[in-house]
Amino acid sequence: MRIAQVAPLYESVPPKLYGGTERVVSYLTEELVRLGHDVTLFASGDSETEARLVPACDRALWRDPNCRETLPHHVRLMELVFREARNFDVIHFHCDYLHFPYLRRHATPGVTTLHGRVNPHDLQPLFEEYGETPLVSISDDQRRPLPGANWQATLYHGLPRGLHTFRKHGGDYLLFVGRISPEKRLDRAIEIAHKTDRQLKVAAKIYDEDLAYYRNSIEPLLRESKSFVEFIGEVGGKDKDELMGNAYALLFPIDWPEPFGLVIIESLACGTPVIAWNNGSVPEVLVDDETGFVVDTIEDAVKAVPRVARLSRQTCRREFERRFDVTRMARNYLEVYSRLIDGVAPHSVLSSGDMEATIWPTLSHIA
Amino acid sequence: MRIAQVAPLYESVPPKLYGGTERVVSYLTEELVRLGHDVTLFASGDSETEARLVPACDRALWRDPNCRETLPHHVRLMELVFREARNFDVIHFHCDYLHFPYLRRHATPGVTTLHGRVNPHDLQPLFEEYGETPLVSISDDQRRPLPGANWQATLYHGLPRGLHTFRKHGGDYLLFVGRISPEKRLDRAIEIAHKTDRQLKVAAKIYDEDLAYYRNSIEPLLRESKSFVEFIGEVGGKDKDELMGNAYALLFPIDWPEPFGLVIIESLACGTPVIAWNNGSVPEVLVDDETGFVVDTIEDAVKAVPRVARLSRQTCRREFERRFDVTRMARNYLEVYSRLIDGVAPHSVLSSGDMEATIWPTLSHIA
């Protein structure tokens, strides 16, 4: 199959450090190549891949100090993709919805994985207009605000098996990995560590827009908790693997409907159970009292901490291998691609010089 | 002529208060209707116009507290515009560059007025790709970073003659109108007022992203200057007219290449001379020692203040009527539209179902 993967240009594929979407695009792309497919990756020029790379800009936009507007680059990305559209059997988009109007007017089937939170107020009118555009959700919870869209499947993210080392025994510390933004609730993690008399390690990234929050709310907290909280900053690679693998448990105390927390399955891949708030994809990804605990309050989280010791780290790893492995993800996407390719006959665009909309038949929902 | 005007959706057309681009689109649209043309305006649903309004969203996005993403609405705007493209003789875009790939693939001529600063690092690759797209600059200075683009003309903004009241005599105070952002240099205006022992009135808008700057740099300054600086906040309509008309002089102490400062011609329309820094469009818009003074330093600005008394307010008003009147702007645009309509034969898009790029001949530059 000739497959195009279209990544956003904010980070490289894979990203140098943080970048959930770009990481998943990387894992999927490399696995599809490994499975023998002819893959073209549209991404930033500093990406690394076994696929054929079409660079849509020199370097990742968020790594480029001279970049002030990201949209021009993504508009040009559209030109690059659709100029070659007829060379692909299917095009898989990971860059939100900029491509919807073009996709409607092309014969090549396309599917779009939505990676972020679906904000119905802004997306509803657009998604109603493009009701025929095939979509993939990354959790059932993610699609709830737009139930009528043309969802092809919920496909959970997957990671390469070798990415994280399974460790039979964890250590004693609690772990918080992610972004320091208000909805991630690092303050809850600190409180839980305090109340259970455990050390908390914090491997976190502070984005520019979170600086005010960090300075006003988190920095004071870290200062007064420094006897038991160690702030590490951004980690990747081997350091992250060790940090996660040696943890007693990962804390994921979010108070927003995160569509899919990659950090959860990274933790499971190490064998480290997860204590997470009951939001977003959490109840779909974790199995309560098996791979972690799904809680609603600080009290419940505090009660869950000692109970982690009774869980099997082996079970966590097995769950990762069974449900969140990259080969499983790639094969699921290949099924979606095949259905799209088979299910749709090419329509010809009117030749009057106008771009009449070519409406794709709505494919039935596949669970 | 059947003309489409495509406005950005951030503010309504016209905007409730601030919104340079949307104001100009409004003036142009209403004047074209007045001149007898068949005009369709694509804008937010709370816009008001004598043209036919196609609402691309319910209300101005920046006035909508529920709006978190503006891009989905603009993507849908593209669909609405290009679905009707064949019904127009020409389409005039004011919403940056999102439409470039579509325009290339349509028979209807289009022209784009760039309203903002041209940031070459991000725009160069895109504008090189779409080298054929006809553009209009709002000052010669604006186009300098992209000399090779398909510039059709520099067309200065224009205002309706009745919008501002010409006042033969100004008052004594200096005036600053605009945005409180670092590059507007309100601090310079305060210093000038201080050094010339005059009152300064400040009619200014503080955007969210400028809050930190306002609190750290400006608020302290305003506090210590409050004996001679009056902070008024955002003004519009009659209040603004009176404020500008009764001023001794407008201060425009920018230190960035502002492509066109509407406030300058508003001031001239009132008869109020302008003391402005030599940046951006300033030397093209002001005539030194006639409609104001073009300066490079605080010292020069301070020397210019008493010299304003020798200038003729009548001359300022006449300059406005001659060069910055909306009818002149509309007629200039009609010339550009005509040349585009006449100069290009419709190309048919290939009928293979693909969107092959239809390349428009590059029109010669008209000054």
Side-chain angles (χ1 to χ4, degrees), chain B residues 112-179:
Chain B
T112 304
T113 296
L114 295 184
H115 287 270
R117 180 176 185 175
V118 168
N119 166 26
H121 179 79
D122 296 313
L123 296 187
Q124 180 95 13
L126 184 72
F127 279 58
E128 263 171 24
E129 172 64 53
Y130 297 100
E132 79 283 359
T133 308
L135 304 171
V136 165
S137 44
I138 59 178
S139 64
D140 286 338
D141 189 73
Q142 182 197 38
R143 64 166 81 173
R144 291 199 301 139
L146 288 177
N150 190 7
W151 300 105
Q152 297 302 297
T154 287
L155 295 185
Y156 299 115
H157 289 333
L159 309 171
R161 290 194 178 199
L163 196 69
H164 289 281
T165 317
F166 169 65
R167 287 167 218 261
K168 281 183 65 178
H169 304 286
D172 293 316
Y173 60 87
L174 299 170
L175 178 63
F176 177 100
V177 176
R179 178 175 170 167

Side-chain angles (χ1 to χ4, degrees), chain B residues 176-225:
Chain B
F176 177 100
V177 176
R179 178 175 170 167
I180 297 198
S181 57
E183 63 277 359
K184 294 279 194 173
R185 297 306 300 270
L186 170 56
D187 60 298
R188 279 177 173 163
I190 295 172
E191 191 178 345
I192 294 163
H194 180 63
K195 285 183 167 159
T196 57
D197 202 30
R198 284 185 182 262
Q199 194 196 18
L200 175 71
K201 297 199 190 215
V202 179
K205 179 178 170 68
I206 310 165
Y207 284 81
D208 286 346
E209 56 259 41
D210 302 325
L211 262 170
Y213 168 71
Y214 174 75
R215 287 195 185 123
N216 297 336
S217 307
I218 297 299
E219 218 174 16
L221 213 52
L222 289 175
R223 259 198 311 270
E224 51 179 60
S225 321

Side-chain angles (χ1 to χ4, degrees), chain B residues 3-6 29 38-42 51-54 84 88:
Chain B
I3 304 166
Q5 296 289 336
V6 184
T29 299
D38 176 351
V39 187
T40 300
L41 172 66
F42 293 83
R52 167 185 162 243
L53 175 66
V54 175
E84 290 198 37
F88 305 113

Side-chain angles (χ1 to χ4, degrees), chain A residues 64 66 68-69 72-73 79 83 86 97 101-102 104-106 121-122 129-130 351 354-356, chain B residues 64 66 68-69 72-73 79 83 86 97 101-102 104-106 121-122 129-130 351 355-356:
Chain A
D64 183 345
N66 295 317
R68 275 192 242 147
E69 296 177 69
H73 303 274
E79 181 73 40
R83 178 171 294 172
R86 92 189 100 158
Y97 42 72
Y102 305 87
R104 161 177 280 186
R105 293 162 169 83
H106 274 82
H121 180 80
D122 296 311
E129 173 64 53
Y130 297 99
S351 63
D354 301 317
M355 286 206 305
E356 280 291 22
Chain B
D64 184 347
N66 295 317
R68 275 192 241 146
E69 294 177 70
H73 304 274
E79 182 72 40
R83 179 171 292 172
R86 92 188 101 159
Y97 41 72
Y102 306 88
R104 162 177 280 185
R105 294 164 168 81
H106 274 83
H121 179 79
D122 296 313
E129 172 64 53
Y130 297 100
S351 63
M355 287 208 300
E356 279 291 19

Side-chain angles (χ1 to χ4, degrees), chain A residues 248-252 268 273-278 282-283 286-296 300-301 303-311 316:
Chain A
Y248 175 76
L250 178 84
L251 300 180
F252 195 70
L268 298 183
V274 181
I275 299 173
W277 252 248
N278 189 9
V282 165
L286 285 181
V287 183
D288 191 62
D289 208 13
E290 278 189 38
T291 57
F293 295 96
V294 180
V295 300
D296 289 288
D300 287 347
K303 284 193 205 132
V305 169
R307 293 169 63 196
V308 162
R310 298 190 292 99
L311 299 178
C316 293

Side-chain angles (χ1 to χ4, degrees), chain B residues 45 51 70-71 79 85 93-94 108 130 146 180 204 227 293 305 324 328 357:
Chain B
T70 60
L71 185 57
E79 182 72 40
F93 295 89
H94 301 270
T108 309
Y130 297 100
L146 288 177
I180 297 198
S227 59
F293 294 97
V305 169
F324 304 114
R328 189 270 318 150

